[in-house]
Amino acid sequence: MVMPDHICPYGRKSLWLLRRKGYRVDDRWLTTREQTDAYKAEHGVKTTPQTFIDGVRIGGHDDLRRHFGRRVPEEGATSYWPVLTVFAVAALIASVVVWWQEGWVVASFPPTFISITMCLLAMLKVQDLEKFSTMFMNYDLLAQRWPWYGYIYPFAELGAGVLMLAGVLTFISAPVALVIGTIGAVSVFKAVYVDRRKLKCACVGGSSNVPLGFVSLTENLMMVGMAIWMLAMPM
């Protein structure tokens, strides 16, 4: 579809993929809604674009990717990629911060990395509080008892992360991280390893397909470890 108010991104992707594979493409545009609806009815398809190779219909963009042996994520499939991406970006930012401040001191990396990770994960949760709190309530023990905790949790995580990164008000940030991290770790452990429930984790927001399990437990244990380390520093 190529219309004044809409150009189909999947059509462009299909065109780009075919040309990368060395095909000469007869690129036919659907320029009106009526033309698009008539085309779908004629070929018995629900979506456009549709790709034909040597007169044989391959299908839409996902079908074309499968035709060329490329992986296509299944709709609703679980994946650790979103949370691993957060960890990777946090590690990159932490590396730059530590290098810029201290010329790279290895001991400074873990607390910087953890606090930045907390901030990034909290940001993703805050984007849609309603979805997050609903998914969070599926497994968090405190949120199940007091639903308001699901709305407070992201801001508690964000506040603790910011204060830890700044290195100020430890008497507030460390206890908060310790409490929410401990409750989270116990909740995840019970849901996954005791009750054997297969749930999605709310760790990167309420719209994610990250499976509840080891990575979710790691997030909470990192907060607990960071809190204990900061409380122990004065000693």
Side-chain angles (χ1 to χ4, degrees):
M1 290 189 295
V2 178
M3 303 179 187
D5 59 346
H6 176 71
I7 298 177
C8 177
Y10 293 106
R12 286 185 165 180
K13 284 186 172 184
S14 296
L15 185 63
W16 173 75
L17 182 56
L18 285 163
R19 286 174 173 167
R20 282 196 64 192
K21 293 294 182 179
Y23 286 87
R24 286 187 299 109
V25 183
D26 178 12
D27 183 22
R28 303 185 184 184
W29 292 0
L30 301 170
T31 57
T32 65
R33 176 56 58 186
E34 292 74 18
Q35 189 180 10
T36 301
D37 292 340
Y39 179 86
K40 291 178 182 178
E42 177 187 353
H43 293 279
V45 297
K46 294 181 179 180
T47 61
T48 60
Q50 293 291 317
T51 298
F52 295 78
I53 297 179
D54 294 331
V56 178
R57 188 173 73 86
I58 303 301
H61 177 255
D62 286 350
D63 297 314
L64 184 62
R65 286 179 60 86
R66 293 188 188 96
H67 178 76
F68 290 130
R70 297 196 173 193
R71 189 181 71 85
V72 177
E74 295 299 326
E75 187 175 353
T78 58
S79 171
Y80 284 110
W81 183 248
V83 71
L84 293 177
T85 301
V86 172
F87 286 166
V89 172
L92 182 62
I93 296 173
S95 298
V96 173
V97 170
V98 171
W99 175 80
W100 181 72
Q101 288 184 337
E102 306 179 44
W104 190 252
V105 178
V106 175
S108 299
F109 177 79
T112 306
F113 164 70
I114 293 172
S115 56
I116 290 174
T117 300
M118 290 169 62
C119 294
L120 294 179
L121 290 173
M123 174 193 69
L124 295 173
K125 296 178 177 75
V126 170
Q127 287 182 108
D128 193 330
L129 268 178
E130 201 61 46
K131 281 188 176 180
F132 164 77
S133 62
T134 301
M135 187 181 291
F136 189 58
M137 198 182 296
N138 281 329
Y139 59 88
D140 189 86
L141 298 175
L142 187 57
Q144 289 172 0
R145 186 175 180 85
W146 291 306
W148 53 262
Y149 178 63
Y151 295 94
I152 292 175
Y153 179 93
F155 296 101
E157 183 179 30
L158 177 61
V162 170
L163 293 177
M164 287 176 168
L165 184 61
V168 298
L169 301 179
T170 301
F171 66 93
I172 295 176
S173 62
V176 169
L178 183 61
V179 170
I180 66 175
T182 301
I183 295 171
V186 172
S187 299
V188 172
F189 186 85
K190 181 180 184 299
V192 176
Y193 301 105
V194 177
D195 299 338
R196 302 289 182 182
R197 299 173 65 197
K198 295 187 180 298
L199 300 170
K200 293 177 182 177
C201 179
C203 50
V204 289
S207 301
S208 72
N209 289 318
V210 177
L212 187 67
F214 175 74
V215 174
S216 317
L217 188 60
T218 300
E219 175 195 2
N220 290 288
L221 292 178
M222 284 198 310
M223 280 195 284
V224 172
M226 178 74 166
I228 294 173
W229 179 77
M230 294 192 76
L231 290 171
M233 277 185 64
M235 304 177 187

